[in-house]
Amino acid sequence: MKQSVVYIGIDVAKAHLDVAWAGTFRRLPNERSGHAVLVRWIKQSATPVQLICEASGGYEQGLLESLEKSEVKVTLVQAVRVRQYARAAGILAKTDQMDAKVLAAFGSAMQPPPTPPLCAEQKRLRQYEAQRRHLSRVLVAEQNRLAQLSCAELRTLSRGLISKIKKQTETIDTRIGDLIAQDQTLREKAQKLTAIRGVGVRTAALLLAQMPELGQLNRRQAAAWPAWRPLTTTADQSAVNAPSSVDAGHCAAGFTWLHSRPLASIRSCRVFTDVCAPKVNRTNSLSQP
């Protein structure tokens, strides 16, 4: 007989974690000592457990690493899905403790699959991409500020800062290129992506960093991914659908390009679906209604 899973909700904040487990609530510090206490507490369970939490601007990364090392299953879910569930259940109040309780209830009701951990190369690529996008935003802000400055001294300082930002951006681009070139899987995917008209090296790197599902989706899932996340699933279908790593708020702000004009050509491009879909799914997806 299959053993039932106990779902534990965790509301992640910068300084602390609010944990809801079977009517019990605890607040732990969001640091290594708190993570260790959480893992020891979870290990006391005689039944399988799975943690449910939302992405929280990166504050969840330390927790995820601790849980991965301890082999504890965890699912990152999209915040909007949880809020929609709470509204449907008539839960309008929003506190840290209530959020943790709602996350646990969401897990029990929806039974989402665990989020697979990223490999070291994927984590590093995602960090590089996040820094690259941050530098781009800072560069635009400083260039706009330079245009408003009239003081010669300040304009000189601003130009110096802009030069430094551009140099750092070039360094990050080099690191990204080297990382992709050194990893066979990333290199092969990048070559297929850049074969698409309108997809350059930057766009390919962004997709590789933020879409680890590449190679695991069938054609329909691959085509639906840019425009609509998450895919409509049932509990039985969830295991074969795309993992929830991008659903969890990891989808970068830079993905707004997907809603621009090139989207139609990308979604209809056979090369794009080929790089997303393994061969075993390509035939099956053609027969799906």
Side-chain angles (χ1 to χ4, degrees), residues 46-72:
T47 58
V49 298
Q50 183 174 328
L51 277 60
I52 308 293
C53 65
E54 300 170 348
S56 185
Y59 295 132
E60 76 285 354
Q61 291 303 315
L63 172 64
L64 295 179
E65 291 178 3
S66 297
L67 296 175
E68 180 182 345
K69 292 178 181 178
S70 302
E71 298 182 347
V72 176

Side-chain angles (χ1 to χ4, degrees), residues 198-232:
V199 177
V201 176
R202 281 289 305 126
T203 299
L206 180 60
L207 281 169
L208 290 173
Q210 298 295 333
M211 193 177 175
E213 294 94 339
L214 286 170
Q216 302 174 14
L217 312 180
N218 61 40
R219 289 182 183 274
R220 290 182 179 273
Q221 292 168 340
W225 183 89
W228 174 250
R229 296 285 294 175
L231 295 166
T232 302

Side-chain angles (χ1 to χ4, degrees), residues 87-105:
R87 292 192 187 98
I91 303 173
L92 302 181
K94 196 176 189 321
T95 64
D96 292 341
Q97 190 177 94
M98 183 63 69
D99 286 347
K101 183 178 179 180
V102 169
L103 285 167

Side-chain angles (χ1 to χ4, degrees), residues 6-59:
V6 176
Y7 292 90
I8 302 174
I10 301 182
D11 183 70
V12 180
K14 179 179 180 180
H16 56 262
L17 308 170
D18 286 284
V19 186
W21 182 4
T24 302
F25 299 94
R26 291 184 66 175
R27 171 167 286 189
L28 302 171
N30 190 6
E31 55 188 31
R32 290 184 178 180
S33 60
H35 302 163
V37 172
L38 175 63
V39 170
R40 287 196 298 269
W41 186 28
I42 292 173
K43 293 294 185 179
Q44 296 175 4
S45 175
T47 58
V49 298
Q50 183 174 328
L51 277 60
I52 308 293
C53 65
E54 300 170 348
S56 185
Y59 295 132

Side-chain angles (χ1 to χ4, degrees), residues 225-241:
W225 183 89
W228 174 250
R229 296 285 294 175
L231 295 166
T232 302
T233 66
T234 64
D236 292 335
Q237 295 171 328
S238 60
V240 297
N241 279 308

Side-chain angles (χ1 to χ4, degrees), residues 153-228:
E153 181 182 3
L154 292 179
R155 290 180 64 85
T156 299
L157 291 174
S158 181
R159 291 192 187 97
L161 178 56
I162 289 174
S163 177
K164 290 181 180 179
I165 294 172
K166 289 182 177 179
K167 288 181 179 178
Q168 287 190 25
T169 301
E170 292 174 359
T171 300
I172 294 293
D173 285 340
T174 301
R175 296 287 191 275
I176 291 174
D178 292 343
L179 179 60
I180 293 176
Q182 292 170 6
D183 186 271
Q184 181 178 356
T185 301
L186 292 175
R187 183 174 65 253
E188 291 176 352
K189 290 180 180 179
Q191 290 172 350
K192 292 181 179 180
L193 285 170
T194 52
I196 304 172
R197 179 181 298 179
V199 177
V201 176
R202 281 289 305 126
T203 299
L206 180 60
L207 281 169
L208 290 173
Q210 298 295 333
M211 193 177 175
E213 294 94 339
L214 286 170
Q216 302 174 14
L217 312 180
N218 61 40
R219 289 182 183 274
R220 290 182 179 273
Q221 292 168 340
W225 183 89
W228 174 250

